[in-house]
């Protein structure tokens, strides 16, 4: 998910009552909810190599063990440093080391959980396994999730400032609403994939090996449907509860072209892309007197984003 969502999740956990457990609870929760994204520095590598590094090692079990410990140590040092300088806020609660460590783990673990909900993918077991996991439940930037998170944080903060005894209740209600929203979206995705698989088989006589219900912005009741078998791929749309519409055009993804894939894997960017891609498509284009091979991913076929998720490699010259 986007970092605003992760930050709001940390803040909501604090407003649900965890902020009263120890000093520095709220900043610890918010920072912990974002800290696995330190792998964003991979974009400095250039090209498409960063795709193979994102949502991997810093989102896996080793990082989930070590990153909270690192943050915990920094926050304890910061509190002591302010105390020695005489700049520690008087209203700050005493720092309880055990509670601060627990909150660092809670905030950090919320990050891979919410990242798993979208279709970008996450390697939850890295470095022990490089398998990608996909939730296909909510869009990577979900406005309805924002609304629920902001409402829960803001209403509970307002109640707290007014001295309302049950100031935690809006945050708790927001958490419950978010749980129901995610669960409902999971059911929509499951229904969409089931009906689309049957529709592909009925309309084209193809039993798809993979059907993906790709969440779309704002319209949470709809999905962009993507399917493929060993040679072909296609797409369509789904609208809850049961409206499936398939695009009559079918393409060939060419993922069985062993020689072309072997040649592309010699290029470091193409190799990284193939590792990252879930639904790769290989095609060739003529560029003047030469050809280029292009790798794209079905999940990111929208013209607004497709240029960010593609890699080009010159095709080898063939003898005349």
């Amino acid at each position: 998910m986007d970092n605003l969502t992760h930050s709001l999740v940390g803040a909501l956990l604090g407003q649900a009552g965890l902020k009263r457990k120890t000093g520095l609870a709220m900043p610890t929760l918010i920072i912990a909810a974002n800290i696995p994204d330190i792998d964003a520095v991979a974009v400095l590598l250039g090209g498409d190599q960063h795709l193979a590094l994102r949502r991997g090692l810093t989102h896996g079990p080793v990082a989930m063990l070590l990153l909270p410990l690192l943050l915990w140590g920094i926050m304890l040092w910061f509190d002591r440093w302010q105390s020695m300088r005489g700049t520690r806020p008087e209203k700050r609660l005493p720092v309880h080391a055990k509670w601060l460590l627990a909150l660092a783990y809670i905030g950090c673990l919320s990050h891979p959980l919410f990242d798993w909900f979208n279709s970008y993918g996450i390697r939850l077991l890295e470095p022990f396994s490089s398998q990608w996991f996909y939730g296909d439940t909510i869009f990577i930037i979900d406005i309805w999730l924002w609304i629920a998170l902001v409402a829960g944080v803001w209403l509970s903060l307002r109640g707290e400032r007014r001295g309302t005894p049950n100031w935690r209740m809006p945050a708790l209600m927001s958490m419950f609403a978010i749980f129901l929203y995610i669960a409902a979206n999971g059911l929509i995705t499951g229904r969409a994939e089931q009906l689309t698989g049957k529709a592909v088989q009925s309309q084209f006589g193809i039993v798809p090996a993979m059907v993906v219900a790709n969440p779309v912005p704002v319209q949470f009741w709809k999905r962009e449907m993507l399917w493929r078998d060993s040679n072909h791929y296609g797409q369509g749309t789904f609208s809850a509860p049961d409206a499936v519409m398939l695009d009559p055009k079918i393409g060939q993804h060419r993922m069985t072209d062993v020689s072309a894939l072997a040649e592309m894997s010699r290029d470091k960017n193409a190799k990284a892309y193939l590792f990252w891609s879930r639904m790769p498509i290989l095609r060739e284009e003529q560029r003047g007197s030469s050809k280029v091979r292009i790798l794209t991913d079905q999940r990111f076929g929208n013209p607004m984003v497709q240029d960010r998720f593609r890699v080009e490699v010159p095709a080898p010259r063939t003898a005349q």
Side-chain angles (χ1 to χ4, degrees):
M1 304 297 294
D2 62 289
N3 291 104
L4 175 59
T5 298
H6 288 305
S7 300
L8 288 170
V9 168
L12 189 70
L13 289 168
Q15 288 304 127
L18 292 179
K19 64 185 287 183
R20 293 293 181 90
K21 299 299 183 181
T22 176
L24 293 176
M26 189 65 96
T28 298
L29 284 165
I30 294 173
I31 295 171
N34 284 280
I35 199 171
D37 274 344
I38 58 174
D39 61 1
V41 298
V43 298
L44 299 176
L45 294 174
D48 292 278
Q49 297 176 70
H50 69 94
L51 292 174
L53 298 176
R54 292 300 309 273
R55 295 198 181 186
L57 189 61
T58 62
H59 291 61
V62 174
M64 290 301 104
L65 176 65
L66 297 180
L67 288 177
L69 285 170
L70 176 63
L71 177 61
W72 177 63
I74 292 172
M75 299 307 283
L76 287 175
W77 169 84
F78 177 73
D79 185 66
R80 291 169 185 165
W81 177 74
Q82 282 195 318
S83 296
M84 288 188 297
R85 287 171 53 90
T87 57
R88 188 184 191 278
E90 293 182 3
K91 293 183 178 180
R92 179 186 295 165
L93 294 174
V95 170
H96 297 286
K98 291 182 180 179
W99 262 114
L100 195 67
L101 180 60
L103 297 188
Y105 275 107
I106 290 170
C108 200
L109 288 169
S110 74
H111 187 105
L113 173 64
F114 276 80
D115 272 359
W116 174 76
F117 287 137
N118 56 65
S119 61
Y120 186 96
I122 181 173
R123 302 199 305 278
L124 289 170
L125 302 177
E126 194 76 48
F128 306 108
S129 169
S130 294
Q131 179 182 351
W132 289 88
F133 294 85
Y134 310 92
D136 299 335
T137 302
I138 52 180
F139 191 63
I140 194 168
I141 299 176
D142 192 294
I143 189 172
W144 305 110
L145 202 54
W146 280 0
I147 290 172
L149 288 165
V150 169
V153 172
W154 179 68
L155 290 174
S156 62
L157 271 173
R158 188 178 69 167
E160 182 183 13
R161 288 166 182 166
R162 292 180 175 180
T164 305
N166 60 344
W167 58 270
R168 302 173 182 84
M169 188 56 63
L172 294 171
M173 291 177 64
S174 175
M175 293 174 68
F176 182 66
I178 289 169
F179 170 79
L180 292 179
Y181 176 71
I182 293 172
N185 273 276
L187 293 174
I188 292 171
T189 288
R191 176 76 169 166
E193 292 177 348
Q194 179 187 31
L195 294 180
T196 299
K198 291 179 179 178
V200 171
Q201 188 172 1
S202 174
Q203 188 168 328
F204 303 117
I206 296 173
V207 179
M210 181 188 298
V211 179
V212 173
N214 208 20
V216 299
V218 184
Q219 297 174 303
F220 64 86
W221 59 93
K222 292 186 177 183
R223 296 289 185 273
E224 176 191 26
M225 301 310 303
L226 311 170
W227 64 268
R228 59 170 49 200
D229 67 356
S230 58
N231 296 302
H232 308 92
Y233 74 94
Q235 60 186 30
T237 59
F238 173 84
S239 184
D242 54 15
V244 177
M245 184 175 295
L246 297 178
D247 189 328
K249 297 179 181 179
I250 298 178
Q252 290 190 332
H253 51 68
R254 294 186 61 192
M255 285 297 105
T256 54
D257 191 337
V258 178
S259 61
L261 292 175
E263 289 169 1
M264 292 199 75
S265 65
R266 298 189 187 104
D267 179 271
K268 59 183 180 181
N269 288 324
K271 185 177 181 180
Y273 192 93
L274 287 169
F275 171 74
W276 165 83
S277 181
R278 181 184 186 184
M279 307 181 79
I281 299 170
L282 174 63
R283 58 187 175 87
E284 288 187 354
E285 283 186 5
Q286 188 72 36
R287 298 280 178 83
S289 60
S290 60
K291 287 184 178 180
V292 294
R293 283 178 172 152
I294 301 172
L295 278 171
T296 58
D297 191 291
Q298 275 182 261
R299 296 170 297 167
F300 301 98
N302 189 300
M304 295 180 64
V305 298
Q306 63 183 0
D307 288 343
R308 295 172 51 197
F309 298 99
R310 58 183 279 163
V311 64
E312 298 183 5
V313 177
R317 293 181 180 273
T318 56
Q320 296 294 326

